[in-house]
Amino acid sequence: MKQRDELAILFVDDESDILHSLNRFLRREEYRKFFVDNAVEALELLAKTPVDLVVSDLRMPGMNGLDLIKEVKRLYPGTLRMIVSGSQDIEQIIESVNKGEIFRFIPKPVEPESFKNILNDALDYYCMKLEREELFDEISLKNGQLTDANATLEKLAGDLKRSEAQFRSMNDAAQDAVFMLDGSGLVRYRNTAAEVMFGYRRSEHPAQPVSEIFPETSTALELNDLVSCDSALLARSCANLVIQIEGLRKDGSRLPLEISRGCVHLESGPHSVLIARDISTRIEEEKSRKQYETMQKELESQIEKKLLQSQAPITLRHIEISYLMHSSGHLDGDFTELIEYDPLRADLLIGDVMGHGIQSALVSAGLKSLFLKSIAEERKSPEALPPLERIVGKIHERCIHELIDLGMFATLLFVRLDLKNRQASFVDCGHNPLIHLPAKTGRCRLVKGGNLPMGMIEKEEYRQAEFAVDENDLLVLYSDGITENRSPGDELFGIERFSALLEEHAALPTEAIVEKIEAALMEFCGCTNFEDDVTCIVIRISGSTKMPDNG
């Protein structure tokens, strides 16, 4: 295992002042430090000098930080990689984290002591990784030696196992029904368990055709092969094999069985041995298990529908809205909410909590509750609506520490529709881009904010953005269950295919559009149940948005 003074860190930043500051600040650290101001020099140094950790700024002239990190991963996959960046680059950074290109990113501005701790934590992780790999190599060597020893032992024990196989199978099945058949398919022997299970006594049926106990079924050919008079075929059939079949009792009732078959050689010739086990209980248990799984999936689906997914509005005017909510069959983190303030103003929320299961569902429900509570607290009058950025900020204050403690984060998109002024405003917390399809152009445009997913960093300043909407415009909010839907060939459905689908069917009613989306996703993945929840809200601005004259 490497000692601290044997480790090396390479810092890459095009600002020389930052490199000088880092050199001064880290001068007392035991590990070796290298500083370069561009990606080309970094790669040249790596070719000559072993480096354990590369810390690069993202924005640099020429080759940027992400391109450098990708090249380092390709050439030196064992080297840890970190990026220093601002939140405006979060999409690229999250993608790189998910692909394993960077070990961690450090958001700017960086507090010096915190930066030093991050470096030390990264080096500790690197040393533990090296130690684990060394231990794995040692274990692999020992396992190889043990495998060789076992092979020798198995070879020595092979003859003994073969000689004992028939006896052990009979002894282990003492509580099961045992039949011995001659070459003509007649039962020449049955044990007491067989008498009790099927109702035929040995004294009354000394030579019973096996077909009376195991009538013609889909496995009849296997049984006919087993009891064939052809001694060569019989010998080949004596290899151990297990099949499932129905047995017929003396009273006419049927019994599901598992049959093990083998062969014994007596003085009169080879005989087949059938060991029959009653699997009625096993079948009932399997049915119960499947029923339980079906009920559980149905319950989780109902929880999602009632707790996490909102229904379409019924009073909002001059708007056409349709929902696509397709559950994956287990609890996920997708959730939606809609608040109507008056016939021309409403807030929509769509979010996705990382992970699956009860914890993700509870976090989703908690965020919905905070959304509603924060709106109620911040709204001072029926006419004045609280700014979205203030609502999001309040939610962040109330849940950020819990999310960090749980190690979870959520992508959120808050959208406010002001139909009177034909304006949409939004705050985007790392969610999928909102799709705006203006009727005038017929082409989708992706509207994206600059905030991180909620739960990633403790301090975050939220800013809302606005854009104009017009008659017959489409707005589409969606979860990554759509864009990350996979084909049998592991291809992603993707945002380009999704946008093209919306442009093709933009003239249809919103309900028809969501039907087209669902059909396209099922055809693409070749399935009816998706791996992740699919959530989509399609909104059309329809007709005049002027407030009615009540005077």
Side-chain angles (χ1 to χ4, degrees):
M1 179 177 172
K2 286 188 175 182
Q3 300 300 316
R4 210 62 166 187
D5 58 359
E6 296 176 307
L7 299 172
I9 302 179
L10 171 61
F11 299 89
V12 188
D13 197 306
D14 61 329
E15 296 183 32
S16 57
D17 291 340
I18 293 179
L19 294 178
H20 290 313
S21 298
L22 286 173
N23 193 10
R24 291 194 302 273
F25 176 69
L26 300 172
R27 66 185 183 279
R28 297 183 182 276
E29 296 299 312
E30 297 179 359
Y31 48 77
R32 294 181 295 148
K33 298 165 280 291
F34 300 97
F35 304 88
V36 298
D37 60 3
N38 62 77
V40 174
E41 290 187 17
L43 292 173
E44 291 176 353
L45 187 145
L46 287 167
K48 302 175 182 178
T49 306
V51 170
D52 305 294
L53 171 61
V54 175
V55 181
S56 175
D57 187 28
L58 178 62
R59 296 181 176 274
M60 297 187 298
M63 181 184 291
N64 62 31
L66 282 181
D67 290 337
L68 170 62
I69 289 300
K70 291 177 181 177
E71 190 66 6
V72 172
K73 178 184 177 183
R74 185 181 70 83
L75 297 173
Y76 314 100
T79 301
L80 283 186
R81 305 165 294 276
M82 296 199 302
I83 282 287
V84 180
S85 172
S87 64
Q88 66 270 20
D89 305 303
I90 187 60
E91 286 187 353
Q92 292 178 289
I93 295 169
I94 290 179
E95 181 181 359
S96 298
V97 171
N98 291 336
K99 291 182 178 178
E101 293 169 350
I102 60 175
F103 169 70
R104 183 171 178 178
F105 84 93
I106 306 170
K108 291 182 177 180
V110 181
E111 194 275 321
E113 287 299 328
S114 175
F115 183 66
K116 182 187 294 184
N117 291 335
I118 290 172
L119 294 177
N120 285 321
D121 289 345
L123 292 178
D124 289 341
Y125 169 81
Y126 179 78
C127 290
M128 290 176 61
K129 180 172 175 288
L130 288 180
E131 184 177 5
R132 183 181 63 183
E133 291 173 351
E134 292 172 357
L135 181 60
F136 179 81
D137 291 340
E138 182 178 352
I139 292 175
S140 297
L141 177 61
K142 297 295 184 183
N143 283 341
Q145 296 172 348
L146 181 61
T147 300
D148 293 339
N150 284 338
T152 302
L153 184 61
E154 287 177 359
K155 186 176 184 302
L156 294 175
D159 292 340
L160 178 61
K161 286 185 178 180
R162 282 190 293 273
S163 64
E164 291 179 349
Q166 294 173 350
F167 170 77
R168 289 177 59 187
S169 65
M170 294 290 288
N171 188 57
D172 292 342
Q175 302 302 317
D176 295 327
V178 178
F179 300 88
M180 185 171 68
L181 317 177
D182 63 14
S184 61
L186 297 178
V187 177
R188 294 299 183 179
Y189 165 83
R190 74 192 83 205
N191 66 356
T192 302
E195 290 184 315
V196 174
M197 184 179 294
F198 290 91
Y200 296 103
R201 294 187 177 276
R202 281 174 285 188
S203 59
E204 298 173 356
H205 301 84
Q208 182 182 20
V210 70
S211 59
E212 293 182 5
I213 302 173
F214 305 110
E216 292 291 332
T217 66
S218 60
T219 58
L221 179 62
E222 294 176 272
L223 289 172
N224 289 336
D225 288 344
L226 182 63
V227 300
S228 171
C229 295
D230 186 336
S231 58
L233 180 61
L234 179 60
R236 289 197 301 270
S237 300
C238 284
N240 290 334
L241 185 64
V242 177
I243 58 175
Q244 290 188 1
I245 193 173
E246 276 193 339
L248 184 64
R249 293 190 178 104
K250 186 177 182 180
D251 62 9
S253 62
R254 290 180 176 269
L255 182 68
L257 300 169
E258 182 179 82
I259 302 294
S260 299
R261 63 186 184 181
C263 184
V264 294
H265 293 268
L266 306 178
E267 290 183 356
S268 57
H271 286 64
S272 300
V273 176
L274 303 184
I275 303 174
R277 300 175 183 86
D278 183 353
I279 57 173
S280 302
T281 302
R282 186 195 307 175
I283 291 175
E284 289 302 318
E285 288 176 350
E286 180 64 17
K287 288 181 180 178
S288 298
R289 183 187 65 80
K290 290 182 177 179
Q291 289 175 352
Y292 172 77
E293 290 178 352
T294 300
M295 292 173 58
Q296 185 179 34
K297 288 182 178 181
E298 180 63 26
L299 177 60
E300 291 183 354
S301 178
Q302 290 299 319
I303 290 174
E304 283 192 320
K305 290 178 181 178
K306 296 181 182 299
L307 186 63
L308 303 181
Q309 305 289 4
S310 297
Q311 299 300 314
I314 58 175
T315 62
L316 202 60
R317 298 177 186 171
H318 309 300
I319 195 172
E320 180 187 350
I321 182 168
S322 296
Y323 288 73
L324 171 59
M325 296 175 180
H326 198 299
S327 174
S328 63
H330 50 74
L331 283 175
D332 284 320
D334 285 12
F335 60 97
T336 62
E337 187 57 84
L338 184 140
I339 301 295
E340 299 179 51
Y341 299 106
D342 54 50
L344 293 178
R345 294 184 299 174
D347 282 351
L348 293 96
L349 166 66
I350 184 171
D352 185 7
V353 176
M354 65 169 288
H356 304 287
I358 293 294
Q359 187 177 46
S360 295
L362 291 176
V363 172
S364 299
L367 288 171
K368 281 188 60 171
S369 177
L370 285 177
F371 174 64
L372 298 173
K373 184 176 181 180
S374 299
I375 290 176
E377 291 177 350
E378 293 294 327
R379 191 178 182 189
K380 306 304 181 185
S381 70
E383 292 300 322
L385 301 184
L388 283 178
E389 55 193 22
R390 194 161 68 203
I391 296 172
V392 181
K394 175 161 274 191
I395 295 173
H396 177 91
E397 292 175 2
R398 288 178 166 174
C399 71
I400 184 60
H401 295 294
E402 287 77 5
L403 289 176
I404 291 177
D405 289 343
L406 291 171
M408 304 183 72
F409 64 85
T411 65
L412 304 168
L413 179 61
F414 298 80
V415 180
R416 174 165 294 166
L417 293 178
D418 184 347
L419 301 177
K420 180 180 179 180
N421 296 309
R422 299 193 177 191
Q423 185 180 63
S425 53
F426 69 95
V427 174
D428 175 17
C429 301
H431 198 70
N432 300 308
L434 183 153
I435 297 179
H436 178 209
L437 199 163
K440 294 180 179 179
T441 66
R443 300 299 301 273
C444 291
R445 70 184 192 95
L446 304 182
V447 184
K448 183 68 180 166
N451 289 110
L452 295 170
M454 193 169 289
M456 294 195 73
I457 59 175
E458 184 173 354
K459 294 181 180 180
E460 179 73 303
E461 185 175 357
Y462 296 97
R463 289 286 181 265
Q464 69 184 52
E466 297 84 20
F467 60 92
V469 294
D470 208 345
E471 184 175 347
N472 287 323
D473 282 8
L474 283 181
L475 298 179
V476 182
L477 289 66
Y478 59 96
S479 68
D480 57 11
I482 291 181
T483 53
E484 295 183 5
N485 185 29
R486 292 184 179 274
S487 69
D490 207 35
E491 179 185 3
L492 291 177
F493 191 76
I495 188 63
E496 294 82 5
R497 186 178 280 105
F498 187 35
S499 297
L501 179 68
L502 293 172
E503 292 171 0
E504 180 182 357
H505 301 293
L508 297 177
T510 57
E511 184 64 28
I513 293 176
V514 298
E515 290 175 359
K516 293 289 186 182
I517 295 171
E518 184 174 27
L521 291 174
M522 290 182 176
E523 181 180 2
F524 184 76
C525 71
C527 61
T528 56
N529 292 320
F530 304 122
E531 294 184 0
D532 195 5
D533 280 356
V534 170
T535 304
C536 184
I537 306 174
V538 180
I539 305 165
R540 186 190 305 280
I541 310 300
S542 59
S544 172
T545 56
K546 293 183 179 180
M547 284 291 287
D549 186 0
N550 297 322

